[in-house]
Amino acid sequence: MRSTPRSGAARSRLRRGLAAVAVAALGSTMAVVTATSAQAAVTCDVTYTTNDWTTSPGQGGFTANLTVRNTGDALSSWNLGFTFPNSGQRVSQGWSANWTQSGSNVTAASMPWNGSLASGATLSLGFNGTWSGSNPKPTSFTVNGVTCGGVNPSPSPSPSPSPSPSPSPSPSPSPSPSPSPSPSPSPSPSPSPSPSPSPSPTPSPGPRVDNPYAGATGYVNPDWSASAASEPGGSAVANTSTAIWLDRIAAISSGSAGNNSKGLRDHLDLAVQQDAANGSAPVVIQVVIYNLPNRDCSALASNGELKVAQDGINRYKTEYIDPIASIMSDTAYRNLRIVAIIEIDSLPNLVTNLNLAACQEAKNSGAYEQGVAYALSKLYAIPNVYNYVDAGHHGWLGWDSNFGPSADLFGSTADLATGGKATVHGFITNTANYSALVEPHFSVSGTVNGQQIRSSRWVDWNFYIDELSFAQAFRQRLVQEGFSSNIGMLIDTSRNGWGGPNRPTGPSTSTDLNTFVNNSKVDRRVHAGNWCNQSGAGLGERPRANPATGIDAYVWVKPPGESDGASTEIPNNEGKGFDRMCDPTYGGNDRNGNNPSGALANAPLSGHWFSAQFRQLLANAYPPIS
Ligand code: BGC
């Protein structure tokens, strides 16, 4: 890991976001479809949301996003139909389907690469359009000719997070993820329509505290602690709590990574010992659930052992989640607060990176959504487990075109879990990433010499310039989505400190927009899409509870000093590929604006100890190590 902030697809979606900045109204309708055909039982849910804007009195444009969930049998191709209520509504350009309009009737036919829609899978598609008079939503939909049933108005309109007026550059060119050449047909993974937790006694999730970090002591992993302490000066932070990564099935058991390596039970036993030794404070232990089939689908460095095409989703459930849940539910651990960090990068990849075959396969098979929902179901059933779902970072989901659709996908995925959205205690941002917590020297709404900061190359029209503002805004959006108003956010601050000699101490005095931003920003990366072993980074805020409104804790989920990926190809049996974003000589790709990777040289495989990186992080810590 850590994967891409934005694909080329997301970049073009960005433009769509720009067209929609003068948002006049948002809203949605949802049709719940239940109908049967002779062949396959077609049932589905369709959600239709729009961003509308007015160009002159009585007319304007809009972007419509549709989510179709197949709640019936698997489909090999699909045809979605609906009728605009008004004659003045037109589709101008759509994506992820072949869009046609005849009179007021609109049809979206599947593309070769997204026709197969497993039972339980969801599909996102949309279009830009124009309206005159008004822009009411269609009230019914068909899938493969089968009429979709009654209409359930979905929760009330969700205002855009920062409806700042903006210059609105040219409206919405090509928003679509360009379809990648069709992925080779994969054997059907036969997903079940919804996660089916094994017939263990029905959960009665006990009372959980609102913030598991409040008043608690963080579990110190003795293995990471020893690595940190072995580095010069490392003992200053070696007592910090870091997360346990269950990054493959074998990591659940003892001895998997060498004779003395610890499995989940070993860590939980040690956490119980730490709990006994720390007085009355409870211990919070963080466990990363990270083994979905087609993991890290938009990158290579953290590809995993399970594949969608090789029964990955069933193996994920039975060989990975079930054993983890069984260990965590041992009553010997009942007094621990176990935080489960669920599947880094997975759902955001389904929002922005569907132009990549591995992500498309993850989406079409329903593997990510089902896997996440299954993990949520099983872990929520254990009363002292707190589920936090990974929510990317500001430099990935901060654009409107990614922000709302991600929240929608989190919502629809959690709805698949037994227990629904209540299974989610919160979300985490910036996991294993480097985004600055706060940019103190400029504001997203500022201008330089009459030009908006948002238009600078670094900000690139994002609505957020740092992680804290993003996490707080995204939390609100998730509450609008229907998650509990008590959800809390975590921010991984393990490596986003950006201190040391190169940290700007005040705003630049330059009147050139890009020079101003580049010389003022504390995040010293060349591009916010850079994610691998970043040169110049430092340790960030030390973990603590309740640091800011809506934030449950700053946490160190990525253990500092563990590599993000090898800088040259290293053969291995961990399923990990070689991602050139970890190669300092690489000139980049469309996901980092074709900039240098900014990665450190001589890096080992992801997860392996990288002494030189740890030393740099220590030297550049911000706040500095006292
Ligand atoms: C790697 C995992 C590792 C984790 C923590 C990820 O990038 O893929 O194998 O456990 O980082 O270092």
Side-chain angles (χ1 to χ4, degrees):
M1 45 169 308
R2 153 91 201 179
S3 86
T4 53
R6 292 177 293 137
S7 63
R11 172 167 289 277
S12 50
R13 282 163 174 233
L14 162 62
R15 306 229 173 257
R16 180 155 51 91
L18 291 176
V21 284
V23 172
L26 291 116
S28 64
T29 57
M30 181 167 101
V32 177
V33 180
T34 311
T36 342
S37 75
Q39 303 276 292
V42 176
T43 66
C44 57
D45 293 341
V46 178
T47 306
Y48 178 104
T49 61
T50 62
N51 286 358
D52 302 354
W53 62 95
T54 302
T55 48
S56 59
Q59 58 185 23
F62 66 106
T63 299
N65 283 300
L66 291 90
T67 307
V68 179
R69 184 183 310 146
N70 179 13
T71 55
D73 293 346
L75 301 172
S76 54
S77 66
W78 45 265
N79 213 301
L80 173 76
F82 60 86
T83 303
F84 281 133
N86 275 358
S87 59
Q89 293 170 292
R90 309 292 312 169
V91 172
S92 16
Q93 183 188 31
W95 52 92
S96 298
N98 281 319
W99 290 88
T100 48
Q101 181 171 358
S102 163
S104 290
N105 297 328
V106 178
T107 307
S110 55
M111 311 288 278
W113 48 275
N114 68 3
S116 127
L117 196 59
S119 176
T122 56
L123 167 85
S124 301
L125 64 166
F127 62 92
N128 287 325
T130 54
W131 58 270
S132 66
S134 63
N135 192 32
K137 291 166 190 60
T139 52
S140 118
F141 300 85
T142 59
V143 169
N144 292 356
V146 178
T147 303
C148 301
V151 173
N152 284 352
S154 71
S156 57
S158 43
S160 108
S162 55
S164 54
S166 96
S168 112
S170 61
S172 60
S174 70
S176 83
S178 54
S180 55
S182 54
S184 53
S186 53
S188 155
S190 65
S192 52
S194 66
S196 44
S198 59
S200 52
T202 319
S204 70
R208 290 172 169 87
V209 294
D210 177 47
N211 180 355
Y213 290 85
T217 307
Y219 170 67
V220 177
N221 173 358
D223 295 335
W224 177 80
S225 184
S227 298
S230 73
E231 300 289 351
S235 53
V237 294
N239 211 27
T240 309
S241 179
T242 54
I244 307 304
W245 286 64
L246 299 181
D247 64 342
R248 53 197 182 279
I249 291 164
I252 302 168
S253 341
S254 308
S256 59
N259 289 340
N260 296 320
S261 76
K262 297 177 180 58
L264 177 58
R265 206 173 262 289
D266 302 313
H267 285 295
L268 292 169
D269 288 341
L270 284 164
V272 169
Q273 285 175 27
Q274 292 183 14
D275 192 19
N278 77 342
S280 60
V283 161
V284 60
I285 176 169
Q286 308 162 115
V287 179
V288 180
I289 305 298
Y290 188 50
N291 201 29
L292 278 175
N294 284 25
R295 188 178 77 189
D296 201 22
C297 67
S298 68
L300 300 170
S302 284
N303 291 166
E305 64 191 351
L306 300 180
K307 301 292 167 213
V308 167
Q310 293 162 10
D311 201 28
I313 187 61
N314 288 321
R315 294 194 60 198
Y316 180 78
K317 291 176 181 177
T318 59
E319 297 175 45
Y320 181 70
I321 294 296
D322 288 351
I324 291 172
S326 153
I327 293 170
M328 287 181 174
S329 59
D330 189 328
T331 50
Y333 308 130
R334 213 26 77 85
N335 290 332
L336 299 174
R337 296 177 179 177
I338 303 173
V339 162
I341 307 286
I342 312 272
E343 294 297 351
I344 318 306
D345 293 350
S346 57
L347 297 175
N349 265 323
L350 301 190
V351 176
T352 66
N353 289 321
L354 290 180
N355 56 327
L356 302 173
C359 296
Q360 183 63 239
E361 189 183 39
K363 177 72 180 168
N364 285 353
S365 60
Y368 277 11
E369 289 134 294
Q370 283 189 47
V372 167
Y374 190 78
L376 288 172
S377 307
K378 293 292 284 193
L379 299 178
Y380 180 68
I382 307 164
N384 54 320
V385 175
Y386 297 79
N387 289 326
Y388 287 83
V389 178
D390 187 76
H393 56 94
H394 88 277
W396 187 357
L397 304 185
W399 289 266
D400 267 8
S401 46
N402 301 341
F403 194 87
S406 298
D408 292 344
L409 182 60
F410 288 125
S412 61
T413 301
D415 286 343
L416 295 173
T418 309
K421 293 192 179 81
T423 60
V424 177
H425 205 77
F427 291 82
I428 177 165
T429 79
N430 202 46
T431 309
N433 207 276
Y434 295 86
S435 297
L437 185 65
V438 172
E439 282 292 356
H441 305 314
F442 63 101
S443 128
V444 71
S445 55
T447 57
V448 173
N449 210 4
Q451 286 177 284
Q452 288 190 79
I453 297 255
R454 286 190 61 229
S455 69
S456 64
R457 273 200 295 276
W458 168 255
V459 180
D460 194 15
W461 296 105
N462 199 326
F463 284 97
Y464 301 93
I465 55 170
D466 56 30
E467 216 46 34
L468 180 56
S469 61
F470 167 74
Q472 290 174 323
F474 199 50
R475 181 185 170 283
Q476 289 184 0
R477 179 62 183 78
L478 289 159
V479 171
Q480 285 165 0
E481 191 69 28
F483 287 97
S484 162
S485 56
N486 292 327
I487 58 168
M489 306 299 282
L490 306 177
I491 301 178
D492 186 357
T493 56
S494 59
R495 308 180 304 176
N496 70 349
W498 298 108
N502 296 328
R503 181 184 176 90
T505 53
S508 160
T509 52
S510 176
T511 53
D512 174 73
L513 175 66
N514 287 313
T515 309
F516 171 87
V517 171
N518 290 340
N519 293 349
S520 300
K521 66 186 175 67
V522 297
D523 183 336
R524 300 312 303 156
R525 288 177 297 177
V526 185
H527 191 277
N530 285 351
W531 54 267
C532 195
N533 300 325
Q534 288 302 286
S535 169
L539 300 171
E541 287 272 359
R542 264 50 98 203
R544 62 189 159 102
N546 286 320
T549 306
I551 312 296
D552 279 353
Y554 296 149
V555 290
W556 282 12
V557 168
K558 176 73 183 184
E562 292 187 9
S563 173
D564 295 313
S567 47
T568 54
E569 184 143 25
I570 300 177
N572 67 88
N573 58 8
E574 299 177 31
K576 288 168 179 163
F578 169 46
D579 196 309
R580 289 208 65 205
M581 287 296 287
C582 302
D583 171 357
T585 68
Y586 184 48
N589 56 33
D590 62 347
R591 279 161 275 161
N592 82 333
N594 297 297
N595 282 291
S597 69
L600 295 168
N602 303 317
L605 285 177
S606 67
H608 294 226
W609 190 253
F610 186 10
S611 168
Q613 185 190 35
F614 183 83
R615 294 176 191 205
Q616 173 201 276
L617 291 168
L618 199 59
N620 290 341
Y622 192 90
I625 306 294
S626 52

